[in-house]
């Protein structure tokens, strides 16, 4: 009796190929990460200089956490949306549709965006602490909230980037449709960050919500992406 070859190795190879292609393209151009990093640096430096060094330390943890996540959100909007637009600009969209299954493209793009935004979040956190002179007592909780929120944002941004890629005014549309979808996780991440900066313990339910929201977004995006990819 013959056994059919497993489709999982070929699927993971396709995901790896998509991820490798995007990574190599980013290493050559350094467009996405540099755009995100410059935007974040400009925002944090502008806020720091406009408020003034002495008043920065007087900001309450709620305001500090809101500022941190606003910078992360708009930095993500400045760069993550290009994950599909660059395929159109380079003329590789049709080739990608022919050579890779939709789910492999989706997960490859998601992993690339997750890596990009998680890397940026580390840079933003360092700059945030330097500019705002923030003291952190529970680094593990802060990094956990930051990374779970960034992963969820990356997943949703990948899905909405696919939705907005071929639309008119895609840059503004990308932000408009992303914000309502990310809002529940956005608010939870702000509250978790506020708790850490205030010296409070982050509740387990907040970590579970952030992780669960990302999983639900990943599954929903996977289901929706087949239609977007084929019909697009």
């Amino acid at each position: 009796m013959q056994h059919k070859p497993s489709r999982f190795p070929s699927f993971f190879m396709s995901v790896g190929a998509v991820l490798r292609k995007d990574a190599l393209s980013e290493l050559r151009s350094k467009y996405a990460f540099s755009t995100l990093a410059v935007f974040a640096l400009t925002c944090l430096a502008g806020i720091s200089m406009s408020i003034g060094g002495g008043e920065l330390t007087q900001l309450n943890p709620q305001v500090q956490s809101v500022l941190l996540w606003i910078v992360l959100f708009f930095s993500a909007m400045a760069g993550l949306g290009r994950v599909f637009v660059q395929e159109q600009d380079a003329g590789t969209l049709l080739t990608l549709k022919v050579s890779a299954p939709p789910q492999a493209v989706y997960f490859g793009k998601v992993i690339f965006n997750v890596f990009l935004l998680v890397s940026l979040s580390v840079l933003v956190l360092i700059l945030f602490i330097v500019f705002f002179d923030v003291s952190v007592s529970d680094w593990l909780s802060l990094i956990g909230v930051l990374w779970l929120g960034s992963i969820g944002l990356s997943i949703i941004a990948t899905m909405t980037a696919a939705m907005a890629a071929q639309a008119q005014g895609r840059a503004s549309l990308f932000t408009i449709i992303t914000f309502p979808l990310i809002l529940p996780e956005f608010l939870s991440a702000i509250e978790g960050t506020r708790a850490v900066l205030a010296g409070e313990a982050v509740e387990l339910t907040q970590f579970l919500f952030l992780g669960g929201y990302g999983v639900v977004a990943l599954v929903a995006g996977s289901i929706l992406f087949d239609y977007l990819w084929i019909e697009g």
Side-chain angles (χ1 to χ4, degrees), residues 24-84:
L24 289 174
S25 176
E26 175 61 21
L27 286 174
R28 292 191 190 102
S29 65
K30 297 181 178 61
Y31 179 87
F33 187 80
S34 59
T35 300
L36 271 65
V38 169
F39 186 92
L41 176 61
T42 303
C43 287
L44 289 171
I47 294 170
S48 175
M49 288 185 289
S50 62
I51 295 177
E55 297 180 15
L56 284 174
T57 57
Q58 299 175 7
L59 294 177
N60 62 57
Q62 182 70 41
V63 175
Q64 290 177 337
S65 61
V66 169
L67 288 175
L68 174 63
W69 279 100
I70 286 176
V71 170
L72 272 174
F73 174 76
F74 284 105
S75 297
M77 295 302 97
L80 297 189
R82 283 191 53 84
V83 70
F84 290 103

Side-chain angles (χ1 to χ4, degrees), residues 69-134:
W69 279 100
I70 286 176
V71 170
L72 272 174
F73 174 76
F74 284 105
S75 297
M77 295 302 97
L80 297 189
R82 283 191 53 84
V83 70
F84 290 103
V85 173
Q86 66 181 1
E87 303 289 354
Q88 288 183 319
D89 294 344
T92 57
L93 189 62
L94 182 58
T95 303
L96 193 60
K97 286 186 175 183
V98 172
S99 59
Q103 291 299 304
V105 174
Y106 171 71
F107 282 101
K109 298 290 187 182
V110 165
I111 294 171
F112 175 75
N113 270 352
V114 165
F115 180 77
L116 202 62
L117 194 57
V118 167
S119 300
L120 177 73
S121 69
V122 174
L123 175 63
V124 169
L125 180 59
I126 294 171
L127 294 174
F128 179 76
I129 290 172
V130 170
F131 283 127
F132 288 78
D133 193 23
V134 175

